[in-house]
Amino acid sequence: MKVLKFGGKSLANGLGLEKTLEIIKHKKANEEDICVVVSARGNATDELIALLENARNGQWEEEDWINFKENQLKAIPQQQDILDTDFHNLKNFFAGVKLLKDYSLKTKDEVLSFGEVISAKTLVQVLINEGLSAKFVDARSFLITDDRFGNAIPKDEISEKNAQAAFEEFYSNGAIPVVTGFIGVTEEGETTTLGRNGSNYSAALVAKFINAEILENYTHVDGVFSVNPELVEDARHIENLSFQEANEMVNFGMNVLHDKTILPLIDKNIPLKILNTFKGIDQTGTLISNDKNNTSVKSLMLQENKSLVVFEGRGLLGKVGIDARFFSALHRAGVSAGIISQGSSERGMGVVVDEKDAPRALEALRKEFARDYDTKDVQSIHSIDGLSVISIIGQKMSHFNQSYNALIKNHVEPLLISNTVSGANVSIVISKEDTSKALNIIHGELFENPKQIHLAIIGHGTVGRALINQILNSTHDIVNRKNTHIKIFAISNSKNLILDKKGIGKDWETQLQTSAVPANIETLLKYAKENHLENLIAVDNTASSVFVENYELLAENGFDLVSSNKIFNTLPIDRYKNLRKVLEDKNKKYLYETNVGAGLPLIDTIKLLHLSGENITRVKGVFSGSLSYIFNNFSVREDAFSTIIKEAMDKGYTEPDPREDLSGNDVARKLLILARELDLVNEFSDINIQNLIPENLQSIAKDEFLSRLEELNTEYEQLKKSLPEDHVLRYVGELKGDLQKEKGQLEVKLVSVPKSASLGQVKGSDSIFEIYTESYGENPIVIMGAGAGAEVTARGVFGDILRVSENK
Ligand code: ASP
Ligand code: MG
């Protein structure tokens, strides 16, 4: 015999009932012996409770009652009269409650029992209408319980005997028994219920009593998942579970099952299958059985609406009996304690309770400890409400570190962590707002799902555009190689913003053009927060000083920062230090390898040398790709200086106004950034900069300047002629002085160097950096290569993004 249990949604009018019928018919067609246990149909139990409450409060609406009735009768339009007596009796109960303005738990159980009775009778009629033979079985004919109304405990032995006798009859006549779930009866004949969702328990008991081969529980979900699929997209369906595992999950809040359901099944080793009524005949579901091979199932369970009751008593150290008083008080208040925490300092205690119980718990505790309050042995008794408990089932404390780190990095700080003495479980208490984010993070860690990195990219000039395309083109490879999924969730320019937590695709430019969302940092932060996005990185590819203003705010809101924009690092030193402080406080990173020498690994090298205690004595180099091109060419070619500048402009090496490069400011900024890496506190104004533009051309309009470019020629021609033989011109930045002091000497200037020196050998638009250190002596570390260009810069930014991601 198979026991099939159908829940409220499976029996509701319409699709539910249709599917239930299909399943039963299919079983019968296969000549399977079945017994059906039912819940009340749809939300009947809730509706009955509401009607009861209204009757008591004098808010009875005849219309609600009629709706309830009609809804229940819809499935059997021709045979409505079979329920006449039940509705009549039910109505009488309500009339009594209206009169008395009150009801007992006993009355409540009587009233609720009609939900299941009506359901079973209806299903029997529906089956008969389909030509099947079925018989209504009132569980009260065999299921004896104690008299804890509302949560009665079955008496197994006698119930089993009764059941076996009752079921004898059905075996012989082949009718499908349709049994009322949820309800039982005391030895005195009073109706009881087994607690909300108790039909599952009833079904397990029936299965046990009649030695069923399996209990098939038809629900509206596909079975058990590693985590609630409504909260975590990547939730995994679990096909097999052992009884122990299922029991553990139930204990930690799995609500697919009633908490006592599994026990009767374990007694007789009857497997339980959880299936989805709406998925029809062919489905895997979840099989819970005695199979001990599955001992590695991991899952996350969630308990919501919890409070942490906090009891602080500094005068209690070493006193005996405080805990006993504490828990007795809770006991008297009828409050059940979940996670319990007490430090070895015994200065207080934290206990997790249901949020609705917290006020009662506080009242009871304050009363119990009133005297100790007066003597100041107890300082505070309060509660922190709005909490959730996430339990990681199947994880030992020793493996919890990864999940924990990931939580902290994403600003989710558990209020309490607890492991169980038996079994491998870790529970954390967190605030309600963090629940969904935390579930996603831990689930990702447990199942090694690709780590989700969420990027906001600001600016899409040449570097920004190249970066976005590089990322979109390599998303797939990075998932495969590094198990990291880099998603661009935001792109913004100075006007518009586009947002998509699923990841913005290749049509980003059109989207951005047509976006109606104005660029706004608050909108961006709000979106990330509301969508609980984890592992956030903001990437600044603008060259402006506007977006830079948001760096601290971003770090405070959980973003790491990557920037090709140099401006922040050259702001006054106080601001520079402030950001570093915020970053440190918030445990966030800020990488900007491309600030100097584009993609060349310069900043990282200098940082590491400095950190490792190597004494850097001097840094010198050609910092600017455009000036490199200009002087590499001018030094060896016959062409006029202006021709070469124009050529560099045409090739896109210079800024739109080449004076940005020729003024030396760009090189100076880079030099300052390097200096600050060495903990020097130089300001921009400390730098000696040789401006290559004659004063009279420095502040005229760009167009005029370009038309007067030739005015530069004579001076530079003369300079070239005056060079010693085999020397060339190079525009260099140099950091020197006693670099152990507060400030170094920073100089940016045009110099002549021998062709054979390393600076003299740079070609094209390459950059070169010589790093002199104490250990390396007179032979500097030389880093040379393409130091400019959108593609290489974007690669460098991408590298920074990956570096930050790795740390997540
Ligand atoms: N009808 C009852 C309830 O809603 C029992 C059940 O559905 O399992 O709680
Ligand atoms: Mg139900």
Side-chain angles (χ1 to χ4, degrees), residues 487-529:
K487 280 183 192 162
I488 304 177
F489 82 94
I491 300 179
S492 174
N493 52 27
S494 56
K495 294 188 203 76
N496 294 345
L497 171 66
I498 48 174
L499 294 161
D500 184 354
K501 63 177 171 183
K502 295 229 155 75
I504 295 169
K506 298 205 165 167
D507 60 340
W508 63 273
E509 290 209 72
T510 346
Q511 279 193 48
L512 196 58
Q513 268 157 21
T514 54
S515 166
V517 186
N520 180 311
I521 186 75
E522 296 299 336
T523 316
L524 179 75
L525 295 176
K526 197 161 153 235
Y527 184 85
K529 192 162 186 193

Side-chain angles (χ1 to χ4, degrees), residues 370-640:
R371 281 263 201 91
D372 311 75
Y373 237 100
D374 290 343
T375 59
K376 303 225 163 30
D377 284 341
V378 170
Q379 279 75 42
S380 166
I381 300 175
H382 63 274
S383 72
I384 306 171
D385 302 325
L387 302 178
S388 299
V389 176
I390 294 178
S391 299
I392 313 172
I393 317 287
Q395 176 155 70
K396 294 210 177 87
M397 199 61 157
S398 52
H399 287 90
F400 179 59
N401 57 334
Q402 281 159 337
S403 302
Y404 184 74
N405 285 345
L407 286 173
I408 296 297
K409 283 197 176 125
N410 282 287
H411 291 200
V412 178
E413 262 185 59
L415 271 84
L416 213 63
I417 299 177
S418 134
N419 60 341
T420 45
V421 180
S422 58
N425 309 298
V426 180
S427 294
I428 61 167
V429 182
I430 52 165
S431 79
K432 188 161 137 189
E433 298 80 65
D434 289 333
T435 306
S436 153
K437 188 165 157 187
L439 282 174
N440 277 285
I441 292 169
I442 303 175
H443 193 266
E445 287 294 331
L446 281 188
F447 291 92
E448 286 171 22
N449 287 340
K451 193 192 287 177
Q452 306 286 324
I453 305 287
H454 291 98
L455 297 184
I457 299 187
I458 318 300
H460 53 90
T462 52
V463 173
R465 173 172 292 110
L467 175 70
I468 295 170
N469 294 333
Q470 285 176 7
I471 292 173
L472 293 177
N473 287 331
S474 44
T475 312
H476 193 72
D477 284 349
I478 295 175
V479 173
N480 289 339
R481 280 198 228 126
K482 299 184 73 83
N483 204 28
T484 299
H485 189 171
I486 300 194
K487 280 183 192 162
I488 304 177
F489 82 94
I491 300 179
S492 174
N493 52 27
S494 56
K495 294 188 203 76
N496 294 345
L497 171 66
I498 48 174
L499 294 161
D500 184 354
K501 63 177 171 183
K502 295 229 155 75
I504 295 169
K506 298 205 165 167
D507 60 340
W508 63 273
E509 290 209 72
T510 346
Q511 279 193 48
L512 196 58
Q513 268 157 21
T514 54
S515 166
V517 186
N520 180 311
I521 186 75
E522 296 299 336
T523 316
L524 179 75
L525 295 176
K526 197 161 153 235
Y527 184 85
K529 192 162 186 193
E530 281 176 356
N531 290 288
H532 310 289
L533 301 184
E534 73 257 41
N535 299 327
L536 296 160
I537 307 177
V539 186
D540 178 6
N541 284 324
T542 68
S544 89
S545 52
V546 181
F547 188 73
V548 159
E549 291 302 318
N550 300 314
Y551 283 13
E552 285 107 332
L553 184 64
L554 283 161
E556 276 158 5
N557 281 278
F559 281 78
D560 289 290
L561 303 168
V562 168
S563 172
S564 63
N565 184 349
K566 297 185 254 305
I567 298 199
F568 199 100
N569 285 333
T570 58
L571 291 179
I573 196 81
D574 289 345
R575 190 71 194 283
Y576 181 90
K577 286 188 171 165
N578 183 53
L579 175 62
R580 264 105 187 133
K581 167 116 194 5
V582 175
L583 292 165
E584 197 181 321
D585 287 351
K586 297 284 167 192
N587 201 2
K588 294 285 131 199
K589 289 239 156 1
Y590 169 34
L591 295 187
Y592 41 85
E593 182 57 73
T594 54
N595 274 194
V596 187
L600 295 178
L602 178 68
I603 294 191
D604 210 38
T605 309
I606 289 203
K607 229 185 228 173
L608 281 178
L609 283 169
H610 182 58
L611 264 180
S612 64
E614 179 64 36
N615 190 7
I616 295 177
T617 50
R618 191 151 66 107
V619 181
K620 185 175 179 184
V622 173
F623 285 59
S624 149
S626 41
L627 294 180
S628 175
Y629 182 87
I630 291 170
F631 288 104
N632 296 347
N633 282 280
F634 179 65
S635 298
V636 296
R637 283 166 47 186
E638 296 295 309
D639 300 292

Side-chain angles (χ1 to χ4, degrees), residues 5 39-40 45 116 182 195-200:
K5 187 258 162 177
S39 297
T45 309
E116 268 67 12
F182 185 47
R196 290 307 307 266
N197 296 315
S199 321
N200 295 312

